[in-house]
Amino acid sequence: MRSRICAGPSGKSPLAVAALLALLLAGCAADPGGPAASGGTGPQSSSSTPAVPAPGAVDEAPSASAKMVCGKETRTNIVRILALSVPPRTSDSWADKLYTCTYALPAGSLVLSVKEAADPAAARGHFDGLQQTTASARPIEGMANLGLPAFESTDGSVVFVKDSFVLKVDATALSATLGPHSVSRNAFAYEVATAVLACWSE
């Protein structure tokens, strides 16, 4: 099945919730080699490992699901949303069960990160801590009903929790509007996040 970019804005729009639900049901198209593998050496590596396995017990490497934020599917979605002529350069890191991928975009740096918690309760605790310490955080209404508690900040970041993973898309370093359609930072972060969640829901 082919993945689709969520066109709805972030925030409290019921259309955004409906678009995310449709996206999650559709799943994420695999690259010819599949999503990034947990045993790879960088974001370019690939495998047919299923999305959202339990977080790896080995601290030395992030899971396949975490590495999807730096994989080809996510890069392709970012290129499509912003109508970029070439894929952006990326750099990644892994420390304290946090996998981080930074995209060097023409408008600034976009940072995606995945915290791999020991279990869903620990993931929710991490999510709640981020929400409490994030200035101007506000819940994205309707997401909890889908089993995906989420919040956004007014300056351009969104955070979702799913199973034992906490996904953060930080677009705060980007310009206020992006791409040929002048999408807002918040809407862009939301679209990128929902595309990753679609991959995780396969």
Side-chain angles (χ1 to χ4, degrees):
M1 292 182 290
R2 300 298 302 174
S3 64
R4 295 185 292 277
I5 296 299
C6 174
S10 60
K12 300 176 174 55
S13 169
L15 292 177
V17 176
L20 175 57
L21 179 59
L23 189 66
L24 295 179
L25 290 174
C28 170
D31 303 328
S38 59
T41 58
Q44 305 295 331
S45 61
S46 61
S47 170
S48 57
T49 305
V52 197
V58 179
D59 288 337
E60 287 75 15
S63 68
S65 297
K67 292 180 71 175
M68 284 181 182
V69 300
C70 224
K72 184 177 179 180
E73 184 76 25
T74 301
R75 291 196 306 275
T76 299
N77 284 322
I78 291 171
V79 167
R80 185 180 302 134
I81 296 168
L82 299 181
L84 300 177
S85 58
V86 295
R89 291 180 295 104
T90 61
S91 59
D92 64 337
S93 64
W94 169 246
D96 193 26
K97 290 286 189 177
L98 181 70
Y99 181 72
T100 303
C101 181
T102 301
Y103 288 80
L105 300 177
S109 295
L110 171 70
V111 182
L112 280 66
S113 62
V114 178
K115 179 69 173 182
E116 298 193 23
D119 51 47
R124 183 56 190 260
H126 182 76
F127 170 88
D128 290 342
L130 287 176
Q131 186 168 12
Q132 292 167 8
T133 58
T134 299
S136 68
R138 59 190 183 193
I140 302 178
E141 294 184 358
M143 295 296 100
N145 294 337
L146 300 177
L148 296 167
F151 71 86
E152 65 180 347
S153 67
T154 57
D155 59 354
S157 65
V158 297
V159 179
F160 284 83
V161 59
K162 178 175 174 58
D163 301 326
S164 297
F165 296 87
V166 180
L167 168 67
K168 181 177 182 180
V169 178
D170 184 349
T172 57
L174 302 180
S175 55
T177 58
L178 304 157
H181 303 295
S182 297
V183 64
S184 71
R185 276 187 307 231
N186 281 76
F188 173 61
Y190 181 85
E191 290 183 23
V192 172
T194 53
V196 173
L197 290 168
C199 293
W200 284 0
S201 69
E202 273 194 325

